[in-house]
Amino acid sequence: MTHSIYNEGTHFEERRHTHWAAVFIGVLCVLLGIVLFAGGVWLAMLGGSWYYALAGIGLLLTGWFLARGLMSGVYVYLVTWVGTLIWAYWEVGTDWWAQVPRVVAPTVILILVLLLIPVLRHRRR
Amino acid sequence: MKHSPLWTALCASAAMGLALGPVMAQEAGETDGILVQPGETESGTAAESEAPGAGLTASPTEDDTAGDETDEDEPAAEASSEAAEEDAATGAESGDEALAEEETDEAAPAATLDVAPAEAPDDAAETEEDAGEDEAQSAQSFRDQPQEQREVGTDWPFWGGDTNAQRYSPLNQITRENVGELERAFVFNSGDLPEGTADGKYSPETTPLKVGDDLLICGAMNELISIKADTGEENWRYDPGVPNEAIPYGATCRGVSLWTNPAAAEGDTCATRVIEATLDAKLIAVDVETGMPCEGFGENGTVDLWQDIGERVPGWYAVTAPPAIVRGVIVTGAQVKDGQAEEAPSGVIRGFDAETGELAWAWDLGAEEQNRNGPPEGEVYTRGTPNMWTTATADEELGLVYLPMGNSSVDYYGSNRSEAEEEYSTSLVALDATTGEVAWSFQTVYNDVWDYDLGSQVTLVDFPQDGGTVPAVILPSKQGDIYILDRETGESLFDVEEITGLPKGDIEPDYISDVQPSSTYHTLRHDDLTARDMWGFSPIDQLWCRIQFHRANYDGFYTPPSADRHFIQFPGYNGGSDWGSVAVDPERGVIIANYNNIPNHNRLIPREEAEERNLRPIYEQDEEGGSGAEGAGDPQIGAPYGIDVNAGWRSPLTQMPCTKPPYGGIRAIDLETGETLWDEPIGTARRNGPWGIPSFLPLKIGTPNNGGSVVTESGLIFIGAATDNLFRAIDIETGETLWQDVLPAGGQANPITYEVDGRQYVMIMAGGHHFMETGVSDAFIAYALPE
């Protein structure tokens, strides 16, 4: 993971040395966040659940921080993910098939975000 | 009016994270057992078609060609009336033994089967004369009293197993303990596969009959075939030459029926005959031993069901179900392709003399008295009336036939319907099979605008009550309600609850009923949908479905149609219970019902918009038209709206349903009380996933399913039906799957079980289904324990 950082050259290390992986995941979270937020606001206006709009905000913040190489992205996402679990359990309990769309994809993102921790730590050094 | 479609759909979004789980699939072992080589059969039959007996045994390809030509030139005639065949048939019937034998031999070199007129054809002429004398008398007599019926066990003599349509067999060689050893005994490939314009329209749904040593089957395009029940060797085949243009919604032949003439001597040609009704609406009778058309039946063994129906529009009026035969009367309805126009072919039910093919009576609910013996010269049966596309049940004892009726031709708009239509649509109607008069009727939906046709064949039982039994009929519906009715009166043995205060909507509030019946005995229906039931593969597509849910009209069960917005129909038109029907174990007192649990997402299309979309009725289309899903853009000419149905409410983002699984289940119900004994999802996620990508997950998610089950005395349920293309054996006590096999295509057909020489076989046709997206195949697969 660390090789590429050196490959990028030291010139940029001071200003924009965010690892490409963090940028990539950050941008992905922003894109997903935009979709969830926009759709979520629409849903809420139709009288539906507020979860999606809120989760969209969580993802937008996560993405923003990650893309800037900030560890706060991880913390924000953890909060979003735990919030998602609580909401999902509140909505459908132990109906595992019903949990699938609610929990699987967010957990995959959680794993990706957690994998960024070493990279984000490196930046701080 | 429709017959149900379905598709695959769904699934395992868990597939997202995980590449693939342990795959169960033993891939289809085609090498198992004796495989009847299609090549062999074809070369054999090709040779035969040169022989005089050609009509019986020509190869599928050749016959198709012949059939097409004939039909184009002369729709009423069919391959069988070609001169050569006629000669052959006459020769055989006139009792010329030598000639008959010779023909038979020539006709079946590869098929081996000695079709032989084992008993005395030389007596035939004489017998026929006798029969002729007695004819009037015998025709009378077998209509007045019950005729002796074949029993289920060694044989599977009726589409529904026995006369009661219980789909129950007393066989018990295959048990819960040894079912794991089940292997393929043989595979018979019928050769009936889609050609040309039939591509993508196959849904054979075929269930064989087994009588004596033979299985009697029909191909999706109505080719009649007799094979050896223990080896799959072909005895004979008869091709009625149905052209591709006759395919209504799908090429389907659910099965055939048998009738034995009590007045004929054993061994007479056509003493026992196979009766089939075809996609191009012909009623056909052939000899069970030889496949020769029955001369005395209609014209050369064929009756034209288009008679008095009106303008011949291929594909609009077609028969896919085996006829019921009661006291010597063949009773049949027809599928009328849904949603085309109010001015559609009549839903008339007709009875024909099983011996002569003459019209015995007609039940035209629009003109019962006037058209009882056919409409007056120059007129046709009442257009657009509710029809019966599924299988009726014969009650030989009471002389009744139970007709599960569908809806009027235009399903989703009702204001133009007549009072008679309203009275009988989506009702079970008991007719006196000797006169065609209504004995009683029982309606399951008032003013149906949801296409809730009764799709299941009803099952007859001696229903336990007050220490005794009542002759009853089990009526399952697409809404999932199961009714138990007194067979003699049609009264429900349990309270019929009325759901009141239902919304009437904006489209036709004066027509929509705010009251609907429901059964207090049992319902397969799940609770009304909520936004939480929306599903998907990720939060994003789930969100999309939730938005659609909130945008649609939905007030729960029986939400009336709307045009400004979509409306959600739950359960959708696939059921509940559909044509697969239910099985009953009379010994244990258990009903086995598989069912669908999926909504449709529909919208009425104002006429102007329908015009813009160029939605054309079938009579204005060329042959290519109308291969889409049923209801996905139907014009409903005559009504102010067309209809757009998204069956299964599949998300355009992923092709998966918008609602959560299970999409299908199988349930054991206590017969006496109606209580659920167990309820399990049916179908795994192995073949399903987002964008149609198989997930290979062996998880029991519960898929859409079509096709019923068989129950055996030994406590096993055999069923395919689901979109995972598995055929499985389930423990009737627990619902646990004990054995399964991967089929070459979907098992959307009712299986059977039978015995030959002390060996029990279980057979299913793995034909696949176009709308279920389960492939296509012509394989009839027989399973047995290792010898």
Side-chain angles (χ1 to χ4, degrees):
Chain A
M1 277 280 199
T2 48
H3 312 316
S4 57
I5 286 188
Y6 298 112
N7 293 344
E8 306 239 328
T10 47
H11 281 49
F12 297 98
E13 214 166 358
E14 295 295 304
R15 269 187 322 133
R16 319 172 32 189
H17 46 333
T18 305
H19 191 281
W20 64 267
V23 173
F24 179 77
I25 300 298
V27 169
L28 180 71
C29 287
V30 168
L31 292 176
L32 295 174
I34 289 171
V35 174
L36 273 185
F37 180 72
V41 168
W42 187 8
L43 179 65
M45 283 165 58
L46 290 168
S49 168
W50 276 93
Y51 162 78
Y52 299 87
L54 295 175
I57 293 171
L59 272 174
L60 282 169
L61 290 174
T62 303
W64 171 254
F65 288 130
L66 289 181
R68 299 187 60 194
L70 298 173
M71 190 60 96
S72 340
V74 176
Y75 303 135
V76 173
Y77 191 76
L78 273 173
V79 170
T80 308
W81 183 77
V82 170
T84 297
L85 289 193
I86 293 168
W87 164 78
Y89 187 80
W90 171 74
E91 271 214 323
V92 297
T94 55
D95 180 342
W96 302 118
W97 282 115
Q99 288 286 0
V100 166
R102 291 170 171 85
V103 164
V104 173
T107 303
V108 171
I109 292 171
L110 175 74
I111 292 164
L112 295 175
V113 169
L114 293 179
L115 287 173
L116 288 178
I117 290 176
V119 174
L120 298 172
R121 284 224 173 102
H122 177 85
R123 180 192 182 266
R124 262 195 283 175
R125 258 185 265 152
Chain B
M1 326 252 61
K2 124 170 12 52
H3 110 275
S4 49
L6 244 269
W7 69 112
T8 108
L10 75 109
C11 206
S13 75
M16 169 153 190
L18 46 83
L20 33 123
V23 182
M24 60 186 175
Q26 322 92 327
E27 275 309 318
E30 297 214 332
T31 45
D32 286 2
I34 305 156
L35 182 68
V36 174
Q37 295 293 339
E40 255 174 51
T41 321
E42 262 164 38
S43 64
T45 49
E48 295 147 17
S49 59
E50 310 290 318
L56 311 177
T57 41
S59 79
T61 353
E62 292 206 17
D63 257 15
D64 278 353
T65 323
D68 281 348
E69 280 165 11
T70 318
D71 270 76
E72 261 162 42
D73 296 340
E74 208 182 332
E78 64 272 9
S80 66
S81 61
E82 280 169 28
E85 293 162 15
E86 221 169 301
D87 288 351
T90 327
E93 276 220 338
S94 69
D96 186 331
E97 185 172 8
L99 178 56
E101 286 234 45
E102 219 178 279
E103 275 168 7
T104 315
D105 286 345
E106 270 182 47
T112 59
L113 247 285
D114 190 10
V115 211
E119 358 243 316
D122 48 352
D123 292 341
E126 197 187 324
T127 321
E128 222 159 69
E129 260 167 45
D130 289 351
E133 271 168 38
D134 298 343
E135 210 163 88
Q137 203 186 337
S138 67
Q140 279 306 317
S141 61
F142 56 65
R143 285 196 192 176
D144 295 341
Q145 57 202 339
Q147 198 178 318
E148 202 177 316
Q149 300 290 308
R150 292 181 175 81
E151 283 180 11
V152 70
T154 306
D155 288 345
W156 189 271
F158 297 89
W159 186 72
D162 64 348
T163 47
N164 293 328
Q166 294 185 341
R167 297 172 183 78
Y168 171 83
S169 171
L171 297 183
N172 55 17
Q173 186 178 73
I174 301 168
T175 65
R176 283 176 276 198
E177 289 69 38
N178 65 22
V179 69
E181 298 162 34
L182 216 54
E183 56 183 38
R184 292 185 183 194
F186 66 89
V187 176
F188 174 74
N189 291 91
S190 71
D192 190 344
L193 285 167
E195 284 172 25
T197 53
D199 204 32
K201 294 183 183 178
Y202 258 48
S203 42
E205 303 175 2
T206 313
T207 297
L209 298 186
K210 189 270 184 182
V211 174
D213 297 329
D214 305 326
L215 291 165
L216 298 156
I217 62 186
C218 54
M221 296 297 283
N222 299 120
E223 207 168 351
L224 285 168
I225 308 167
S226 165
I227 62 175
K228 279 284 180 205
D230 54 350
T231 62
E233 271 179 280
E234 191 167 318
N235 297 326
W236 53 256
R237 64 170 68 202
Y238 172 79
D239 186 351
V242 173
N244 281 347
E245 61 176 7
I247 299 175
Y249 160 67
T252 299
C253 181
R254 279 187 218 102
V256 298
S257 305
L258 278 176
W259 182 68
T260 298
N261 185 349
E266 211 178 315
D268 281 3
T269 304
C270 288
T272 295
R273 50 190 69 189
V274 184
I275 308 286
E276 179 196 45
T278 66
L279 295 175
D280 57 350
K282 288 179 292 196
L283 192 59
I284 291 173
V286 303
D287 180 47
V288 73
E289 297 293 334
T290 63
M292 299 267 193
C294 297
E295 285 279 283
F297 184 88
E299 201 170 314
N300 268 319
T302 298
V303 170
D304 182 12
L305 296 173
W306 272 104
Q307 174 83 38
D308 300 323
I309 292 300
E311 192 201 347
R312 218 175 264 268
V313 179
W316 203 356
Y317 189 77
V319 190
T320 55
I325 304 175
V326 199
R327 300 199 183 177
V329 178
I330 301 170
V331 181
T332 186
Q335 175 178 351
V336 177
K337 193 171 164 140
D338 271 354
Q340 303 304 306
E342 286 177 353
E343 265 291 302
S346 177
V348 63
I349 306 294
R350 282 173 285 182
F352 295 92
D353 186 303
E355 189 177 13
T356 63
E358 274 166 35
L359 183 72
W361 48 258
W363 178 57
D364 176 352
L365 59 82
E368 291 190 61
E369 296 306 324
Q370 180 196 293
N371 292 346
R372 177 140 295 136
N373 297 308
E377 192 68 33
E379 290 184 32
V380 297
Y381 292 111
T382 313
R383 310 264 301 160
T385 51
N387 64 325
M388 177 188 75
W389 56 262
T390 193
T391 310
T393 308
D395 187 335
E396 194 70 18
E397 212 169 304
L398 297 179
L400 297 177
V401 56
Y402 306 104
L403 314 168
M405 299 298 291
N407 199 357
S408 297
S409 180
V410 163
D411 283 302
Y412 298 92
Y413 186 81
S415 295
N416 300 341
R417 293 178 192 155
S418 69
E419 265 177 45
E421 286 178 70
E422 279 165 33
E423 184 177 356
Y424 292 115
S425 102
T426 325
S427 296
L428 182 69
V429 177
L431 285 191
D432 183 322
T434 54
T435 63
E437 281 165 24
V438 176
W440 53 260
S441 71
F442 180 89
Q443 191 159 45
T444 60
V445 193
Y446 307 141
N447 296 4
D448 183 358
V449 285
W450 298 273
D451 197 3
Y452 280 143
D453 296 351
L454 288 172
S456 309
Q457 183 188 31
V458 300
T459 298
L460 311 186
V461 286
D462 290 324
F463 195 84
Q465 202 178 51
D466 305 331
T469 60
V470 180
V473 53
I474 300 174
L475 169 64
S477 72
K478 287 191 170 179
Q479 301 93 298
D481 290 297
I482 297 177
Y483 296 94
I484 308 290
L485 310 177
D486 185 310
R487 230 187 278 175
E488 291 176 29
T489 63
E491 301 277 325
S492 176
L493 300 186
F494 292 81
D495 285 341
V496 176
E497 192 177 65
E498 302 236 291
I499 306 173
T500 55
L502 291 164
K504 288 161 150 278
D506 302 328
I507 299 291
E508 40 178 355
D510 296 337
Y511 179 77
I512 303 292
S513 171
D514 57 2
V515 177
Q516 293 290 355
S518 86
S519 174
T520 56
Y521 172 73
H522 189 89
T523 183
L524 301 162
R525 186 173 57 251
H526 287 208
D527 292 339
D528 283 350
L529 298 175
T530 68
R532 294 178 181 191
D533 296 322
M534 297 305 107
W535 208 58
F537 155 81
S538 72
I540 290 177
D541 55 320
Q542 184 191 33
L543 168 60
W544 190 89
C545 289
R546 280 180 101 133
I547 291 171
Q548 301 313 312
F549 180 85
H550 283 282
R551 294 184 73 199
N553 276 319
Y554 183 59
D555 297 307
F557 195 25
Y558 291 120
T559 297
S562 55
D564 56 334
R565 296 186 284 161
H566 282 85
F567 66 100
I568 297 166
Q569 180 193 343
F570 179 70
Y573 66 37
N574 294 296
S577 183
D578 205 346
W579 55 264
S581 318
V582 301
V584 173
D585 181 334
E587 302 299 323
R588 290 179 180 78
V590 176
I591 298 175
I592 299 298
N594 55 303
Y595 62 96
N596 285 302
N597 181 46
I598 33 181
N600 288 357
H601 190 242
N602 307 341
R603 190 171 76 86
L604 289 173
I605 310 169
R607 181 57 57 212
E608 207 168 287
E609 190 185 331
E611 294 291 332
E612 277 163 27
R613 280 177 58 179
N614 197 26
L615 299 181
R616 313 301 292 274
I618 188 168
Y619 52 84
E620 289 180 9
Q621 289 169 358
D622 53 23
E623 199 185 324
E624 301 302 312
S627 64
E630 195 142 52
D634 280 344
Q636 302 200 135
I637 300 296
Y641 301 91
I643 181 71
D644 208 351
V645 174
N646 174 350
W649 189 7
R650 296 169 75 172
S651 162
L653 303 178
T654 59
Q655 298 303 305
M656 298 195 301
C658 262
T659 52
K660 67 173 185 176
Y663 306 113
I666 182 165
R667 198 178 283 187
I669 300 158
D670 184 274
L671 178 65
E672 188 168 358
T673 64
E675 277 162 27
T676 300
L677 300 172
W678 52 258
D679 186 16
E680 291 284 324
I682 184 166
T684 69
R686 61 181 288 272
R687 274 190 77 253
N688 300 295
W691 305 292
I693 303 164
S695 72
F696 297 104
L697 289 171
L699 302 170
K700 206 152 82 166
I701 186 170
T703 73
N705 55 92
N706 249 193
S709 61
V710 161
V711 175
T712 67
E713 195 267 347
S714 52
L716 289 170
I717 302 163
F718 290 95
I719 185 166
T723 58
D724 59 4
N725 293 7
L726 297 178
F727 183 48
R728 49 183 78 70
I730 297 172
D731 184 337
I732 198 172
E733 303 284 352
T734 64
E736 190 192 344
T737 301
L738 301 176
W739 167 87
Q740 64 194 19
D741 187 35
V742 178
L743 300 172
Q748 279 76 45
N750 289 12
I752 67 169
T753 185
Y754 59 88
E755 187 184 281
V756 180
D757 295 334
R759 193 177 188 205
Q760 183 186 354
Y761 296 80
V762 178
M763 172 173 269
I764 186 163
M765 196 226 174
H769 194 293
H770 58 114
F771 192 44
M772 305 279 287
E773 295 169 12
T774 53
V776 62
S777 153
D778 61 350
F780 290 78
I781 304 175
Y783 297 89
L785 294 172
E787 275 182 294

